[in-house]
Amino acid sequence: MRPILHVKLFNPVNDHYGLSPIEAAATAIDIHNTASRWNKALLDNSARPSGALVYTARDGNLSPDQFDRLKAELEQGFQGAAHSLPPRRRGPAARCSWKAASTGNP
């Protein structure tokens, strides 16, 4: 049997095992990778929104409950770098239409 030398770096949480430099930097690496994906999606979209949801029902404005539900659905399903396409419309959003953003002057 050969002796093993366990060289460990400081770990404030665990006295037995050390903390590798990559493990210490993991959060910063994740933030950098996420920001890079977000920036790429933004540049792929020409750094502008692709359009807007426009409520077109004849019965007036959305109720506060409908607005909150619509907002929650949009935040859950279409927020972040991975979701750059126009949203599918169901529920209160079914009465909305997608208006593409103009690229020219009015």
Side-chain angles (χ1 to χ4, degrees):
M1 183 187 296
R2 299 177 71 185
I4 296 174
L5 176 63
H6 183 112
V7 178
K8 60 183 176 181
L9 298 173
F10 175 71
N11 185 344
V13 180
N14 190 330
D15 291 333
H16 187 65
Y17 290 106
L19 186 66
S20 76
I22 294 295
E23 191 177 359
T27 301
I29 292 169
D30 288 342
I31 290 170
H32 172 77
N33 290 339
T34 302
S36 295
R37 282 191 298 275
W38 175 268
N39 287 332
K40 183 186 180 312
L42 183 66
L43 292 173
D44 287 347
N45 199 25
S46 301
R48 63 177 176 79
S50 58
L53 277 177
V54 179
Y55 185 69
T56 56
R58 293 184 206 140
D59 57 344
N61 297 328
L62 289 171
S63 71
D65 289 338
Q66 288 175 321
F67 178 79
D68 291 340
R69 179 177 165 205
L70 178 59
K71 183 177 175 184
E73 285 179 10
L74 291 174
E75 286 175 351
Q76 179 186 16
F78 307 105
Q79 190 174 26
H83 306 290
S84 61
L85 298 174
R88 293 177 295 157
R89 293 177 297 278
R90 55 182 194 267
R95 287 177 255 155
C96 297
S97 60
W98 182 259
K99 300 293 182 188
S102 172
T103 57
N105 292 331

